[in-house]
C-alpha cells in the first residue's frame, strides 16, 4: 500500500514570526494554510536565543499584523516576552499549525508541490511558503587556523549566558548587535576581546526623544524596497542605548583587529603578539536555512541561497519566501517588517491559486 498523500491549498514551512505572518496573510486572502513547525512550539528561534537578549525596537514597533504586542509600548521586550507573544499569536490565528513536523524535502508536481516530512508522511500543496528563517544555519567563516584550534569554539547560536566563561580568556568574533552585546556581557566576569575586521559602527537607539524606529518609519527608510537593488546587504549598525560604546571605550571588552592565525590554543594578533585563549565565540551571522529545497531544481543557487525577487521564486511561481534578510527592505526579517512581505506573497499566491496552476519549469 502506498503512502497516503494529504492535499492542502498551501503549506507554510516554519512556525516562527515569518511563518505565522504568512499564515495570517494567506488566511486573509481566503487560502487555508497548513503551518509545519519542526520544534514543539510555534515561537520560532526565540526560545533558543541567549538569555539576556532584548529587542532593538520598542514593543509598539514589534507586532505582527492583527495582534498588538501588548504591555508598555515604550519598553524593549525581552527574549521570553517575544516567545510568549508568538505563542499568543499562534493561538489567535485561524490556521492549522502542526508542531514536531520537520520538512525534509519539497519537489515539483503537476498540481503544485509534494512536501516530504520526517517519518515519511507527504503533503500535496498548490503553494509553498518557505519561512524557516536562518537560525538553523549559523555562519562559521573560514578563519585562519580555526579548524585546528584546541580551545572551545562555538557560535553565538549556542551561547546562553556568561556563567560558563567566568574567569576565562574569551574572544568574540563579529561587529554586529549580538557580538557587541555578548562581548560586553562576558567582559563583566571574564577577560574578553571583540575581534572585528573594521571598527564597530554605532547608531543611537533614540533621537530627539524618540526611538530610532519611529524615524525609520516616518522617513520611509524602514519599508523602502532597497533589497531589490542590493547585491550585498550592508552590515547594520549596533543599536546602542548608551552602554555599549561606553563599554568598548573602557576596554570592557577591548576591541582589536581580527587575529591573523590560530595555533593550538594560541591566538596571533595583527600586531604580532600571541597569547593563549580559552574560548572563541563566533557572532558571525546566519544564512538562509533551506535544505529541504535542494531537490527543487533552480530554487537555490550554488551556495544554497534562494533565487528570488522580493520573495517570489524565480524558478517556481507557486513558491514564496518570507523572512529573508533584506528580502525587500531593511525590516524584512524583523517582527515589524515580515508581515508586509507576507501580505505581498499571500496576494500573489492566492491569485495564482484562484486562476489555476501554470505549468512548472522542467
Amino acid at each position: 500500500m502506498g503512502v497516503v498523500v494529504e492535499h492542502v491549498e498551501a503549506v507554510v514551512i516554519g512556525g516562527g514570526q515569518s511563518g505565522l505572518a504568512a499564515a495570517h496573510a494567506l488566511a486573509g486572502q481566503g487560502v487555508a494554510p497548513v503551518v509545519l513547525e519542526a520544534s514543539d512550539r510555534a515561537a520560532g528561534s526565540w526560545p533558543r536565543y541567549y538569555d539576556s537578549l532584548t529587542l532593538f525596537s520598542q514593543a509598539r514597533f514589534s507586532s505582527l499584523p492583527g495582534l498588538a504586542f501588548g504591555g508598555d509600548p515604550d519598553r524593549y521586550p525581552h527574549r521570553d516576552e517575544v516567545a510568549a507573544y508568538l505563542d499568543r499569536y499562534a493561538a489567535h490565528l485561524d490556521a492549522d499549525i502542526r508542531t514536531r513536523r520537520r520538512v525534509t524535502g519539497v519537489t515539483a508536481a503537476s498540481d503544485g508541490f509534494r512536501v516530504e516530512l520526517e517519518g515519511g508522511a507527504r503533503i500535496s500543496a498548490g503553494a509553498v511558503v518557505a519561512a524557516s528563517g536562518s537560525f538553523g544555519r549559523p555562519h562559521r567563516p573560514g578563519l585562519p587556523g580555526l579548524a585546528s584550534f584546541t580551545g572551545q569554539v562555538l557560535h553565538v547560536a549556542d551561547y546562553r549566558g556568561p556563567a560558563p566563561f567566568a574567569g576565562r580568556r574569551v574572544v568574540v568574533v563579529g561587529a554586529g548587535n549580538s557580538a557587541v552585546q555578548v562581548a560586553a556581557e562576558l567582559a563583566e566576569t571574564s577577560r574578553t576581546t571583540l575581534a572585528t575586521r573594521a571598527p564597530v559602527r554605532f547608531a543611537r537607539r533614540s533621537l530627539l526623544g524618540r526611538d530610532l524606529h519611529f524615524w525609520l518609519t516616518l522617513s520611509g527608510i524602514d519599508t523602502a524596497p532597497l533589497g531589490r537593488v542590493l547585491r550585498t546587504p550592508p552590515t547594520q549598525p549596533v543599536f546602542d542605548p548608551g552602554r555599549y560604546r561606553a563599554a568598548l571605550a573602557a576596554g570592557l571588552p577591548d576591541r582589536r583587529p581580527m587575529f591573523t592565525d590560530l595555533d593550538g590554543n594560541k591566538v596571533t594578533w595583527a600586531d604580532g603578539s600571541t597569547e593563549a585563549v580559552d574560548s572563541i565565540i563566533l557572532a558571525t551571522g546566519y544564512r538562509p536555512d533551506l535544505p529541504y529545497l535542494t531537490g527543487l531544481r533552480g530554487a537555490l543557487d550554488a551556495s544554497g541561497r534562494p533565487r528570488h525577487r522580493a520573495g517570489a521564486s524565480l524558478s517556481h511561481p507557486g513558491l514564496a519566501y518570507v523572512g529573508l534578510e533584506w528580502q525587500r527592505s531593511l525590516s524584512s526579517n524583523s517582527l515589524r517588517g515580515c508581515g508586509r512581505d507576507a501580505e505581498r506573497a499571500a496576494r500573489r499566491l492566492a491569485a495564482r491559486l484562484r486562476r489555476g496552476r501554470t505549468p512548472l519549469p522542467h
Side-chain angles (χ1 to χ4, degrees):
M1 183 176 178
V3 177
V4 176
V5 179
E6 179 184 3
H7 300 275
V8 303
E9 282 191 287
V11 161
V12 177
I13 303 174
Q17 61 193 37
S18 300
L20 296 176
H24 176 274
L26 286 166
Q29 293 292 323
V31 176
V34 171
V35 180
L36 303 175
E37 165 58 35
S39 73
D40 61 356
R41 182 180 179 188
S45 303
W46 285 97
R48 303 193 297 279
Y49 287 134
Y50 54 92
D51 296 342
S52 62
L53 179 66
T54 57
L55 286 181
F56 310 133
S57 57
Q58 292 175 323
R60 69 170 72 250
F61 300 111
S62 303
S63 299
L64 294 176
L67 184 67
F69 201 99
D72 179 3
D74 293 328
R75 79 189 190 284
Y76 294 86
H78 180 266
R79 174 201 67 184
D80 294 343
E81 291 182 87
V82 179
Y85 168 73
L86 293 175
D87 285 335
R88 293 196 304 275
Y89 195 89
H92 166 81
L93 277 180
D94 181 19
D96 183 355
I97 300 175
R98 306 177 188 180
T99 57
R100 297 187 176 91
R101 299 292 192 277
R102 181 176 297 279
V103 174
T104 58
V106 177
T107 55
S110 59
D111 58 348
F113 302 92
R114 292 290 184 273
V115 180
E116 309 280 342
L117 279 69
E118 195 171 69
R122 296 197 300 168
I123 297 177
S124 170
V128 169
V129 178
S132 49
S134 59
F135 188 79
R137 191 184 172 194
H139 177 53
R140 292 177 168 86
L143 300 175
L146 186 63
S148 60
F149 181 65
T150 57
Q152 179 189 32
V153 179
L154 72 158
H155 193 275
V156 74
D158 300 311
Y159 171 83
R160 291 296 174 270
F165 304 91
R168 304 180 74 182
R169 180 70 177 99
V170 184
V171 174
V172 177
V173 177
N177 282 283
S178 294
V180 173
Q181 287 187 3
V182 167
E185 179 176 72
L186 286 167
E188 296 177 3
T189 57
S190 62
R191 187 176 166 226
T192 301
T193 292
L194 182 69
T196 71
R197 298 192 185 281
V200 178
R201 295 191 305 117
F202 289 99
R204 295 174 61 183
R205 195 166 71 176
S206 62
L207 181 65
L208 299 177
R210 293 276 197 167
D211 180 88
L212 179 63
H213 294 87
F214 169 83
W215 300 110
L216 291 175
T217 302
L218 184 68
S219 66
I221 294 174
D222 207 40
T223 58
L226 301 177
R228 300 177 64 176
V229 298
L230 288 172
R231 292 184 178 274
T232 303
T235 300
Q236 293 192 28
V238 174
F239 295 104
D240 185 22
R243 171 189 174 192
Y244 301 117
R245 190 192 300 266
L248 283 176
L252 296 170
D254 70 307
R255 205 284 300 182
R256 303 189 193 184
M258 183 61 63
F259 50 79
T260 60
D261 194 22
L262 297 168
D263 184 11
N265 71 335
K266 298 290 183 63
V267 170
T268 300
W269 295 105
D271 63 4
S273 63
T274 63
E275 64 173 318
V277 168
D278 297 304
S279 302
I280 295 176
I281 299 176
L282 303 173
T284 46
Y286 302 84
R287 298 292 183 267
D289 188 24
L290 302 164
Y292 50 84
L293 294 182
T294 55
L296 196 59
R297 190 166 64 179
L300 307 178
D301 66 18
S303 67
R305 294 178 181 271
R307 298 178 59 247
H308 73 99
R309 182 173 178 82
S313 172
L314 294 178
S315 57
H316 298 269
L319 172 65
Y321 302 92
V322 177
L324 299 174
E325 184 179 18
W326 284 96
Q327 174 172 310
R328 189 171 184 272
S329 69
L330 168 67
S331 57
S332 282
N333 69 335
S334 69
L335 278 164
R336 69 186 188 278
C338 65
R340 287 188 291 269
D341 289 352
E343 291 288 347
R344 291 172 60 87
R347 287 196 300 270
R348 186 170 58 247
L349 293 178
R352 182 174 181 274
L353 289 171
R354 285 193 293 267
R355 67 174 177 263
R357 297 163 181 81
T358 56
L360 291 165
H362 297 288

